[in-house]
Amino acid sequence: MSGWLAIAGLGPGNEALVTQEVRDTLAEATDVLGYAPYVARVAARAGLVPHASDNREELDRARHALRLAATGRRAVIVSSGDPGVFAMAAAVFEVLEEEPDWLGLDVRVLPGITAMLAAAARAGAPLGHDFCAINLSDNLKPWVLIEKRLRLAAQADFAMAFYNPRSRTRPEGFGRALVVLREVCEPERLLVFARAVSTADEKIVTVTLAEATPGMADMRTIVLVGNTQTRQAGRFVYTPRAAP
Amino acid sequence: MSGWLAIAGLGPGNEALVTQEVRDTLAEATDVLGYAPYVARVAARAGLVPHASDNREELDRARHALRLAATGRRAVIVSSGDPGVFAMAAAVFEVLEEEPDWLGLDVRVLPGITAMLAAAARAGAPLGHDFCAINLSDNLKPWVLIEKRLRLAAQADFAMAFYNPRSRTRPEGFGRALVVLREVCEPERLLVFARAVSTADEKIVTVTLAEATPGMADMRTIVLVGNTQTRQAGRFVYTPRAAP
């Protein structure tokens, strides 16, 4: 039997948000690879080999999975959210570009519910108009580029979603983003801090930019920033479809 | 029994991309509302009343659904893709803001696989770095704002996803966007035209900006524009995680 590799999105955490396509693919897999907490979300069963690794080992994991597929195994790399949004899909294609021998393999990306859309749904519809998604981690890009993007996004009046706002190794990133936002946005701008969306630990907090503090975000938080029109209707935050 | 309203995303078309949460909610509903082709995707059954309407009637549909929930019905508004991305969720909150009597109702948004992420998955990982989503329809915003956003997004080196690039009533929008892109991006920039993603009519075409023509997009197409780093690895298009 010929092998394959699927790069699958498990959604933000709740099993009811996993697609049937991903369930069916995992049911046929022989190997599941990923950052340990994501591999732990896949139910163990006979015939399925788990390969958990650290979250800084993306390229090694991609090579391992492609090697498995090349030897006839049916491998699934699992990502949280959507694999194409700040997750494993790009890492696999980076390896494929370097290793053209593997280009003939059956490689598929299976979309998932990405964290910003699950967070937006819980809050209301803060991304209901044009928006952007920015990874605030400066592991793979210079901070000066992040800052430039924040300023241009505010100028474009995009709503924004921030992934990886803050981590143990980079605690200062989100605080620096807040400084930039305060230079270019009005103090009444609405922000949503959505932590551990769709899990038992879920916590959604809406504040103005004036009220926001760096400590409101951690590594399990997605931060959504409204545009100039974003407003509240009762407990909901939404961005109107129309722009002036 | 008390009524409720769910605004649910059906994903891009393939039933395997509908979440279990949405399936379970539809199974409990008494009424399903939406643009006719989306209501048609929900299997008919005894006890479920379909209310199909035209795609220009969002606010009337939202009012109708809230009125149903207020009278104890269990209503689901179905959107294609994700309800929070250029779809029905914002319209419901616009009505809720005008009708505070309904704010006490049980209203939930159920996320779905939005078209740009399904399209990106089919192509590879073109949105694998910071990106933005722009609705090219000028029904609800002036074209000058769309043009401004395109220029700023290119300056920020965002990958981009265009929703509603072209329709029967606004055939010229995407052609105008191409003119702007040609002013600010290099001719080798990669574009993906993803039509009817995940359905039997799916067609994915990758071209350079120099090769792109307005006729490559229609109302069923999502257009993805790479950033300066976006490249091809065999049949895949991807944007590397790192930026220079």
Side-chain angles (χ1 to χ4, degrees), chain B:
Chain B
M1 184 180 285
S2 55
W4 46 254
L5 168 61
I7 310 133
L10 295 179
N14 190 312
E15 297 315 306
L17 295 178
V18 182
T19 67
Q20 195 59 43
E21 181 180 64
V22 168
R23 287 177 207 273
D24 291 346
T25 303
L26 283 168
E28 291 174 11
T30 57
D31 298 82
V32 57
L33 303 90
Y35 177 44
Y38 307 150
V39 170
R41 286 183 54 193
V42 179
R45 63 169 166 80
L48 180 68
V49 183
H51 306 269
S53 47
D54 195 70
N55 67 350
R56 293 294 183 98
E57 296 172 8
E58 287 90 353
L59 294 177
D60 286 344
R61 182 187 301 143
R63 267 183 222 103
H64 183 189
L66 286 161
R67 203 176 302 123
L68 286 168
T71 58
R73 307 281 296 179
R74 302 186 294 278
V76 179
I77 296 177
V78 286
S79 276
S80 176
D82 181 277
V85 178
F86 312 129
M88 279 299 299
V92 170
F93 296 117
E94 285 169 37
V95 171
L96 270 180
E97 196 182 357
E98 284 170 15
E99 306 272 7
D101 285 357
W102 284 335
L103 274 175
L105 292 173
D106 178 357
V107 174
R108 284 165 289 155
V109 180
L110 309 183
I113 303 289
T114 187
M116 69 177 164
L117 296 184
R122 293 297 191 182
L127 305 179
H129 194 80
D130 300 338
F131 65 94
C132 64
I134 301 178
N135 185 345
L136 286 193
S137 164
D138 60 356
N139 281 343
L140 293 166
K141 64 189 168 198
W143 176 260
V144 63
L145 179 60
I146 298 174
E147 191 162 317
K148 177 182 169 186
R149 284 188 179 144
L150 292 173
R151 289 180 195 281
L152 290 166
Q155 242 182 291
D157 204 19
F158 281 128
M160 308 178 206
F162 298 156
Y163 284 73
N164 302 313
R166 205 155 177 268
S167 72
R168 254 182 300 245
T169 53
R170 298 165 296 95
E172 74 293 353
F174 180 60
R176 293 169 76 177
L178 277 180
V179 170
V180 176
L181 289 178
R182 289 196 170 110
E183 287 171 25
V184 288
C185 301
E186 69 289 356
E188 299 76 23
R189 184 68 62 101
L190 291 175
L191 274 72
V192 176
F193 292 83
R195 183 170 190 278
V197 169
S198 85
T199 75
D201 302 328
E202 176 176 299
K203 192 177 166 199
I204 311 285
V205 176
T206 302
V207 298
T208 64
L209 179 55
E211 295 162 338
T213 63
M216 288 178 178
D218 68 6
M219 57 202 299
R220 297 183 71 191
T221 306
I222 289 284
V223 183
L224 305 177
V225 181
N227 74 10
T228 54
Q229 306 302 307
T230 303
R231 60 191 76 190
Q232 287 181 290
R235 64 194 181 281
F236 301 108
V237 179
Y238 82 98
T239 303
R241 298 164 304 149

Side-chain angles (χ1 to χ4, degrees), chain A residues 178-194:
Chain A
L178 277 181
V179 170
V180 176
L181 289 179
R182 289 197 170 109
E183 286 171 26
V184 288
C185 301
E186 68 291 355
E188 299 76 23
R189 184 68 63 99
L190 291 175
L191 274 72
V192 175
F193 292 84

